[in-house]
Amino acid sequence: MPNDDSRLANLLHETRLFPPSESFRKDANFNDDSVYDRAQQDPEGFWSEQAQHLSWFTPFENVLSWEPPHAKWFEGGKLNVTYNCVDRHRQGPRKNKAAIMWEGEPGDSRVFTYDMLGREVDRAAHMLQSLGVQRGDRVTIYLPMIPELPISLLACAKIGAIHSVVFGGFSSKALRERIIDADAKLLITADAGWRRGALIPLKANADEAVVDTPTETVVVVQRVGEKAGVTMQAGRDVYWHEAMAKAPSAPFPAAEMDAEDILFLLYTSGTTGKPKGIVHTTGGYLTVANTSVRSVFDMKDDDVFFCTADIGWVTGHTYIVYGPLSAGATVVMYEGSPDFPGRDRFWDIVEKYGVSILYTAPTSIRTFMKWGAQYPKAHNLSSLRLLGTVGEPINPEAWMWYHEHIGHGRCPIVDTWWQTETGAAMIAPLPGLTATKPGSATRPVPGIDADVVDENGQSVAPGNGGYLVIRKPWPSMLRTIWGDDERFRKTYYGKFDGIYLPGDGAHKDADGYVWILGRIDDVINVSGHRIGTMEVESALVSHHMVAEAAVIGRSHDIKGQAITAFVTVKEGIATGESLVAELKQHVAESIGAMARPEEIIFTAELPKTRSGKIMRRLLRDIAEGRVLGDTTTLADPSVVESLKAQYRESE
Ligand code: PRX
């Protein structure tokens, strides 16, 4: 049974309640409580109604067909996501409204109105088509946070090609793995990206990644220029700006996609070393993304929405690109990090663009807290009216700091629980209706039947904990894992028949509010990034000096969780500081910098049960300095004593 005792103990003392103000409620898009009951009684009717906010070429005939674990939503319906996110807005009063206001790390900026965005997307669609991309083909995208990134997504969707975005922080090896799994014929990358004034060698990584893969063409956006020092391979590589210049400027006809055609793949970590290609489809995903920005984010036409995530993760897909643009909103997109050139960069951006809705991660909020309130204080943040968080549980202290120092006590906070697999926020307040509690994502949004259940799948009584589940299918649910339907079935529908298991533990309080406790599987959440322990272990044992490795997540003040690796080296290998550094670097190169272990502890042996299973719980206890629990099943109890001593030494 999932449990996180310290978090739970803390949360149970939380009694503060923040009801929406009368003025917020009055103007909110969703301000009639009856929506919850209506949606619960008739979820299909509710989603069918929400789907009417999209433009369909052909209306759907059937709302849902459900043969667990396979759902089909809006069958018979035909639509195009890019038509919905861009073209329909070009035909009305939003034509010259800002769609994307982009801020580059070095301070350069670009604004795209819906009309300008549409022209760029059409040209990019022509370009991709001329390079051989057709409906149903996979295109991998490995770009920094520059406008060509959303343009590439939207161009793929206009053609009906399936995009697979790989976060720019991933290594060449991780990129390669994802290219091969998706069988992608084309890759879009950049010469390099900026990060705190330094260069990220994206093209060099891409060169290594595509060797002997199905990728025949690499399109290279020139973000940095000369300094990046890239070499172009004749016959394979083309510059984005050159190919765009050759492409026709005529409108590109939007492909009429079936509601169930695949829109994108997005890889995420699971309990095995192999990442999962999460499959999202067209009509259902867009319906929930669109509903979510109108309901949870209360998006109005004059809002300026700043989601600080990278489009390489699902949050950026749904809340920078598809959700807000489908609703005709204005988004701010930022290329760099929050502390470059100064620790007030986000607040500077909020002030510069008049951001009204800010969506960020608890790890960032904790970092801002550490830096101090003087940074936000130096800026005029009066444009803000709503705040959001996502990615990991937020501790009440961080929630309160966000509320006071960023929201000035005025802005509701929506703590949104969801996953790559769910497509959009599933448990979150509706800011005009829900009284919030610091640290709780509150209750499922209308149309989502989420609950906390016990080992037998029975709803737990208020005041108890268990497994978080979603009982009924919903339109933006993942349809399968790309190329591995059996893994899909086992991972998400293997425990409870026909009920979705997200892999999180949760507690339900006396008011029925949900408190997420964290993952119940071997997945670590480092600064809101999901990392499988197996991935890091595989990376470590791929080093020629390593015999065995066990990786755990331990609690960390800023990152939420940090990676601790226990490593056994091969006979005769000397351990020491330089090997620690080398192994950390090896993991960063194998997966990406976000997977770099915080600490590495060398040990002659790992604690194992008599049947040979590594006792991770015990390792976690050691890393978190807790009194050790039951070690009676341990094969050799002295292993633990020496590990404990060593861990203390390393601190
Ligand atoms: O453990 C939950 C945590 O992040 C996981 C999903 O990670 P990913 O697919 O990368 O998507 C992150 C952004 C949607 C979940 O299983 N998580 C996400 N949001 C919250 C959260 N935990 C607690 N509270 C949240 N608001």
Side-chain angles (χ1 to χ4, degrees):
M1 183 54 58
N3 212 343
D4 178 336
D5 305 337
S6 53
R7 176 167 162 79
L8 191 57
N10 240 336
L11 294 177
L12 291 181
H13 291 112
E14 186 53 62
T15 52
R16 287 169 286 199
L17 193 68
F18 295 84
S21 69
E22 206 29 62
S23 64
F24 198 102
R25 172 192 281 262
K26 190 166 62 59
D27 295 332
N29 289 337
F30 280 60
N31 60 6
D32 178 357
D33 235 325
S34 67
V35 66
Y36 284 104
D37 281 346
R38 271 198 298 122
Q40 190 171 6
Q41 278 154 21
D42 179 15
E44 290 173 42
F46 173 78
W47 289 119
S48 165
E49 232 174 70
Q50 298 307 316
Q52 304 312 322
H53 287 263
L54 304 182
S55 303
W56 297 79
F57 298 134
T58 309
F60 49 88
E61 286 151 12
N62 190 21
V63 180
L64 169 67
S65 84
W66 177 228
E67 285 171 29
H70 295 120
K72 289 185 181 154
W73 284 87
F74 311 128
E75 273 175 301
K78 288 189 187 297
L79 76 166
N80 183 280
V81 164
T82 302
Y83 178 83
N84 274 277
C85 290
V86 186
D87 298 285
R88 64 171 174 162
H89 307 309
R90 296 172 75 186
Q91 293 155 15
R94 293 183 183 131
K95 179 179 175 186
N96 296 318
K97 175 182 174 176
I100 299 176
M101 303 200 281
W102 175 79
E103 171 90 359
E105 187 186 87
D108 45 345
S109 59
R110 291 170 78 183
V111 175
F112 293 82
T113 62
Y114 273 97
D115 198 42
M116 289 158 77
L117 180 63
R119 275 181 273 149
E120 290 290 317
V121 168
D122 278 5
R123 207 183 254 274
H126 279 297
M127 168 184 77
L128 292 176
Q129 194 183 49
S130 72
L131 294 170
V133 175
Q134 294 173 6
R135 181 175 173 149
D137 286 345
R138 270 80 56 209
V139 172
T140 304
I141 301 174
Y142 183 61
L143 283 174
M145 282 286 283
I146 54 177
E148 287 79 359
L149 176 51
I151 290 168
S152 295
L153 266 64
L154 293 162
C156 286
K158 191 129 192 200
I159 299 172
I162 300 167
H163 60 72
S164 164
V165 181
V166 178
F167 170 58
F170 274 115
S171 66
S172 60
K173 208 168 144 245
L175 172 62
R176 177 182 174 76
E177 207 177 359
R178 287 156 176 75
I179 287 173
I180 293 172
D181 191 78
D183 194 12
K185 66 151 59 157
L186 186 136
L187 170 70
I188 305 175
T189 189
D191 52 0
W194 289 114
R195 187 78 186 166
R196 295 194 178 95
L199 295 185
I200 304 171
L202 295 174
K203 173 65 164 64
N205 288 348
D207 285 339
E208 272 182 45
V210 298
V211 178
D212 292 333
T213 68
T215 295
E216 292 154 8
T217 309
V218 179
V219 181
V220 183
V221 179
Q222 214 169 36
R223 167 62 182 139
V224 169
E226 282 284 287
K227 265 199 198 156
V230 299
T231 35
M232 298 290 280
Q233 186 175 311
R236 188 196 69 183
D237 300 349
V238 289
Y239 272 118
W240 170 284
H241 60 278
E242 288 175 6
M244 283 287 268
K246 282 189 213 138
S249 59
F252 188 97
E256 296 204 4
M257 306 301 287
D258 289 331
E260 278 297 327
D261 280 336
I262 299 177
L263 175 63
F264 67 82
L265 310 181
L266 189 56
Y267 285 84
T268 188
S269 294
T271 48
T272 73
K274 193 175 180 315
K276 304 179 277 197
I278 302 301
V279 172
H280 280 291
T281 58
T282 302
Y285 169 79
L286 197 65
T287 297
V288 185
N290 177 274
T291 307
S292 182
V293 297
R294 288 182 288 105
S295 57
V296 177
F297 289 99
D298 190 42
M299 191 90 74
K300 313 269 176 43
D301 241 305
D302 55 356
D303 273 314
V304 175
F305 188 66
F306 179 23
C307 165
T308 68
D310 192 292
I311 295 174
W313 308 110
V314 75
T315 307
H317 279 58
T318 305
Y319 295 101
I320 297 177
V321 185
Y322 294 122
L325 298 184
S326 70
T330 297
V331 296
V332 170
M333 176 179 168
Y334 172 50
E335 181 183 25
S337 51
D339 58 351
F340 193 85
R343 288 177 165 179
D344 63 340
R345 188 66 187 266
F346 277 11
W347 319 123
D348 188 44
I349 290 173
V350 168
E351 186 171 355
K352 175 173 173 185
Y353 295 99
V355 170
S356 57
I357 305 174
L358 175 70
Y359 191 28
T360 194
T363 185
S364 307
I365 299 167
R366 290 192 294 265
T367 306
F368 300 143
M369 268 174 90
K370 194 180 77 179
W371 291 344
Q374 68 273 25
Y375 296 105
K377 214 170 168 191
H379 291 274
N380 181 349
L381 305 183
S382 60
S383 56
L384 288 171
R385 68 177 194 91
L386 178 62
L387 305 174
T389 83
V390 63
E392 50 176 318
I394 184 164
N395 44 316
E397 302 72 36
W399 196 102
M400 287 307 299
W401 190 91
Y402 199 29
H403 175 73
E404 280 166 25
H405 296 284
I406 308 303
H408 296 150
R410 189 186 71 238
C411 307
I413 295 180
V414 289
D415 173 357
T416 59
W417 176 88
W418 59 295
Q419 312 177 289
T420 307
E421 292 88 337
T422 68
M426 300 280 105
I427 304 180
L430 295 189
L433 289 173
T434 317
T436 54
K437 298 183 184 183
S440 169
T442 73
R443 53 188 296 202
V445 297
I448 298 300
D449 192 357
D451 196 5
V452 183
V453 302
D454 65 17
E455 200 61 50
N456 304 314
Q458 299 299 313
S459 186
V460 300
N464 287 284
Y467 299 96
L468 184 66
V469 294
I470 306 178
R471 290 186 189 283
K472 294 205 184 86
W474 67 100
S476 63
M477 64 191 281
L478 78 164
R479 296 301 190 265
T480 187
I481 292 173
W482 179 257
D484 199 347
D485 196 54
E486 196 41 39
R487 191 175 177 197
F488 161 67
R489 186 189 294 272
K490 270 207 214 120
T491 309
Y492 305 105
Y493 287 90
K495 188 163 180 72
F496 303 116
D497 208 17
I499 294 179
Y500 176 80
L501 183 77
D504 280 4
H507 176 86
K508 192 157 68 176
D509 74 12
D511 300 324
Y513 278 40
V514 176
W515 301 75
I516 308 290
L517 300 176
R519 302 288 309 183
I520 53 170
D521 53 12
D522 291 329
V523 171
I524 310 179
N525 191 328
V526 182
S527 302
H529 300 320
R530 251 163 94 169
I531 295 166
T533 51
M534 274 278 280
E535 282 173 82
V536 184
E537 286 168 5
S538 313
L540 283 165
V541 296
S542 73
H543 189 279
H544 64 282
M545 293 184 193
V546 174
E548 203 174 15
V551 164
I552 54 114
R554 66 158 175 89
S555 53
H556 186 279
D557 283 351
I558 302 289
K559 298 178 175 181
Q561 283 191 300
I563 298 175
T564 301
F566 294 84
V567 169
T568 309
V569 290
K570 289 185 180 153
E571 279 292 318
I573 301 289
T575 57
E577 276 311 304
S578 72
L579 187 57
V580 168
E582 187 175 327
L583 292 181
K584 285 185 179 177
Q585 187 55 22
H586 180 72
V587 174
E589 278 165 17
S590 302
I591 305 171
M594 64 279 185
R596 183 194 301 269
E598 185 86 1
E599 59 240 324
I600 291 182
I601 313 294
F602 292 114
T603 168
E605 264 175 279
L606 291 166
K608 289 184 184 158
T609 60
R610 295 201 178 92
S611 59
K613 259 183 92 175
I614 295 173
M615 298 177 82
R616 287 167 199 287
R617 176 82 206 206
L618 210 59
L619 292 174
R620 209 162 21 242
D621 286 344
I622 293 170
E624 291 179 354
R626 268 195 298 274
V627 182
L628 294 178
D630 184 17
T631 56
T632 47
T633 50
L634 199 63
D636 178 4
S638 70
V639 171
V640 174
E641 285 313 312
S642 72
L643 261 177
K644 250 174 36 178
Q646 228 176 316
Y647 190 81
R648 253 177 276 144
E649 235 170 67
S650 79
E651 278 181 319

